[in-house]
Amino acid sequence: SILKITSMTVQKAAVSLIVLSALSFCEAFLGSADTPCKHHRPSFKHLLASSSDLDDNYRGSSNVRSLKTSNVDASFFQMISFYRFSSIEYPESVRDDIFDALAEIKDLRGTIYLAKEGINAQLAVPIGDSYEGALEDTIAVFKSLLPFDPFEVNDPNLGDIVESDTPTFNRLIVRTRNQILRDGLGEDLDWSDAGSELSPELWHQEIHERKISQEGLFLDCRNGYESDKGTFYGADPLGTDVFSESWQELESWSDGVDRDEPVHIFCTGGIRCVKVGAFLKQKLGFKNVRRLEHGIIGYQRWAEEELPESNASVWQGENFLFDKRRLEESGKNTSSEV
């Protein structure tokens, strides 16, 4: 067994030597691998970093960078999420740049998906006296390292502030894949043509009026197990088990429905409604699609801060969350369906 351990140590040292030699060669002939590139072309160093992992704190295959945090000093975390559909030419290189920068922010954890179609992120950001500026630094990383401003259209979606012993995420993960939200469509639609976004205040007003008039169409675009926990008053659930089932359900639901009628749609954080809204308009011919800005998370935050006590919320029940707060109770796997 001693010979086996010695052999493994020698092999690891040999791999390290080969990697360092290759880096030195490429930097001598191609320029420094650390030289920033505003177009995020993949450097030789990035390719090596994502395919060969020499630091035991960093784990993952060629499409993921991961860091597990331990001995957390933070007392509270600010939950934050955001997404944007916008082109990323070299998502692997952007992944490495973003991971390297976020890994410098102590105790940050969460999951970030990158694809050629954009970014989808859910994070728990440490807050408190010893973490002053952590939230601002986190936002600055995305604004500076993405080839677009992810907050040009919508501000980050601020969720709950939770205590450090609340199960949320146990590591920082930055992952590349084919889509930031897997849809099973088999084709890309124009995600910029997905209907109009309503602020939580305007949404509340329109849903409250609909509650009285019973007019218009109202869709809960989440899965059935989410709708069972809570929904907006009068919404029709799609009843799916996974998001990729949405298209068949929408076709069945829309059979014989007037395409001129306004249709309100909502989901947890807004990203699913972009794809559903685009499908309703571009594939099914609906002319007036209205999405809830920042989804249920945004509405609940607005209602808690702004809604007069005399004016009841139009939300009923709980909001199903896809981090470990809900997973511990449900036993379900993590999901990007936010």
Side-chain angles (χ1 to χ4, degrees), residues 4-15:
K4 188 179 293 184
I5 293 171
T6 304
S7 175
M8 289 173 61
T9 303
V10 170
Q11 288 176 4
K12 187 170 182 179
V15 170

Side-chain angles (χ1 to χ4, degrees), residues 194-262:
S196 58
E197 272 195 318
L198 302 184
S199 68
E201 182 177 9
L202 185 56
W203 175 271
H204 175 83
Q205 179 183 328
E206 292 193 4
I207 300 307
H208 189 72
E209 291 172 355
R210 185 190 179 279
K211 183 178 177 180
I212 299 172
S213 68
Q214 298 295 307
E215 295 178 353
L217 307 170
F218 195 12
L219 273 180
D220 184 342
C221 300
R222 301 170 303 152
N223 296 313
Y225 57 83
E226 299 171 78
S227 303
D228 289 343
K229 287 288 183 179
T231 191
F232 282 104
Y233 182 89
D236 294 324
L238 281 183
T240 55
D241 289 323
V242 292
F243 184 57
S244 58
E245 296 175 355
S246 298
W247 323 120
Q248 184 176 349
E249 293 297 328
L250 286 169
E251 287 176 347
S252 299
W253 167 84
S254 64
D255 187 31
V257 174
D258 185 357
R259 268 46 176 177
D260 290 322
E261 274 208 71

Side-chain angles (χ1 to χ4, degrees), residues 5 76 86 89 99 119 126 130 138 171 182 227 231 245 257:
I5 293 171
F76 297 95
S86 190
E89 187 175 2
F99 177 81
I119 183 170
S130 59
T138 301
R171 63 174 58 243
R182 290 172 175 159
S227 303
T231 191
E245 296 175 355
V257 174

Side-chain angles (χ1 to χ4, degrees), residues 304-334:
E304 183 178 339
E305 296 174 356
E306 304 292 340
L307 198 61
E309 292 183 6
S310 60
N311 196 353
S313 169
V314 290
W315 172 263
Q316 298 176 315
E318 298 178 35
N319 182 19
F320 190 102
L321 298 169
F322 280 104
D323 56 42
K324 293 174 75 66
R325 286 174 288 173
R326 176 65 65 191
L327 297 174
E328 285 206 337
E329 299 175 13
S330 67
K332 293 186 180 296
N333 295 321
T334 55

Side-chain angles (χ1 to χ4, degrees), residues 15-35:
V15 170
S16 300
L17 203 56
I18 292 169
V19 169
L20 290 172
S21 299
L23 266 178
S24 299
F25 175 84
C26 288
E27 289 182 2
F29 287 91
L30 301 176
S32 172
D34 289 321
T35 303

Side-chain angles (χ1 to χ4, degrees), residues 291-305:
R291 299 181 283 123
L292 173 57
E293 181 185 23
H294 287 323
I296 301 163
I297 294 173
Y299 177 83
Q300 289 185 320
R301 183 178 66 248
W302 170 83
E304 183 178 339
E305 296 174 356

